[in-house]
């Protein structure tokens, strides 16, 4: 299981062509921050936050205080990357302000921030980013992934005929509707596997599969391991991270 980390920068400096395998979420606490990537420039204030994709060269020029979340690549869904790059700015409205306050509290009040609280807060913020771009048919899939979803239903949601909808959907997402649904189901299954003790068959039923065999085949095809192997690996990684964190806190 990957862990997210966060830190606050109090500096006035410019970083050119910064490139790394993890992504960023930039939250301006005070002052401003100019962010440039993918030939786009964004001027951030405390009213806005920005998502920077992994493996993307970017330039930051900030004044005042900036909170930075380093997001492991595996915590960003591949099916969201195109849209997140095109819709990288999120307004911090009155509903999101308490979330930003909680994230800041977690970062400022822990010596080491690879903790579960920050992870869950990040995913809530992540969902707000992706909700900006989700087309009605995509939103329907995300809300009803456990049901039998027909392509006829999805096409009707977008007011297209089935043949046109399929090609249109692939241009928008990079895959056909059935593959997108499978990815959404498996991503949800990964979340359930790492946060509960449900049996594999129970997880399969929760994400829309009628039997464990079909679920295991789909999961293994996308993830490269069985659901039980994924669960054990996630648990081992979590235990190692917790032991490392305990040792570091004992040294403080």
């Amino acid at each position: 299981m990957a862990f997210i980390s966060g830190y606050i920068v109090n500096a006035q400096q410019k970083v050119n062509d910064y490139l790394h395998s993890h992504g960023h979420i930039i939250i301006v606490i005070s002052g401003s921050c100019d962010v440039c990537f993918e030939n786009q420039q964004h001027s951030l204030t405390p009213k806005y936050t920005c998502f920077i994709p992994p493996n993307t060269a970017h330039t930051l020029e900030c004044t005042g205080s900036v909170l930075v979340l380093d997001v492991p690549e595996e915590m960003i869904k591949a099916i969201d990357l195109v849209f997140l790059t095109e819709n990288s700015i999120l307004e911090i409205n009155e509903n999101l302000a308490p979330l930003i306050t909680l994230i800041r509290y977690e970062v400022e009040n822990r010596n080491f921030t690879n903790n579960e609280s920050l992870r869950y807060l990040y995913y809530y913020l992540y969902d707000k980013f992706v909700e900006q771009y989700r087309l009605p048919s995509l939103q329907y899939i995300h809300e009803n992934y456990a049901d039998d979803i027909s392509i006829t239903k999805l096409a009707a949601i977008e007011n297209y005929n089935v043949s046109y909808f399929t090609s249109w959907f692939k241009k928008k997402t990079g895959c056909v509707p059935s593959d997108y649904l499978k990815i959404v189901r498996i991503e949800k299954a990964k979340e359930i596997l790492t946060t509960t003790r449900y049996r594999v068959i129970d997880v399969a039923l929760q994400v829309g599969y009628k039997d464990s065999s079909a679920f295991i085949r789909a999961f293994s095809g996308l993830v490269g391991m069985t659901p039980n192997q994924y669960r054990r690996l996630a648990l081992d990684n979590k235990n190692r991270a917790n032991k490392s964190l305990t040792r570091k806190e004992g040294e403080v």
Side-chain angles (χ1 to χ4, degrees), residues 4-18:
I4 191 168
S5 62
Y7 51 93
I8 292 177
V9 177
N10 296 292
Q12 296 184 7
Q13 60 183 13
K14 182 176 182 179
V15 181
N16 291 309
D17 297 325
Y18 200 41

Side-chain angles (χ1 to χ4, degrees), residues 8-53:
I8 292 177
V9 177
N10 296 292
Q12 296 184 7
Q13 60 183 13
K14 182 176 182 179
V15 181
N16 291 309
D17 297 325
Y18 200 41
L19 179 66
H20 38 64
S21 61
H22 58 268
H24 278 322
I25 288 182
I26 307 296
I27 299 171
V28 179
I29 298 174
S30 64
S32 63
C33 184
D34 291 331
V35 182
C36 183
F37 66 95
E38 297 288 343
N39 296 318
Q40 299 180 44
Q41 183 165 336
H42 307 282
S43 295
L44 303 181
T45 68
K47 292 185 177 181
Y48 296 90
T49 179
C50 176
F51 171 86
I52 301 177

Side-chain angles (χ1 to χ4, degrees), residues 78-79 83 138 141 165-184:
I79 55 175
F83 299 104
L138 295 181
I141 290 174
F165 171 76
T166 301
S167 60
W168 173 85
F169 190 96
K170 187 172 184 179
K171 288 179 181 179
K172 290 288 185 180
T173 66
C175 59
V176 297
S178 59
D179 285 343
Y180 189 92
L181 174 60
K182 182 191 298 184
I183 293 170
V184 171

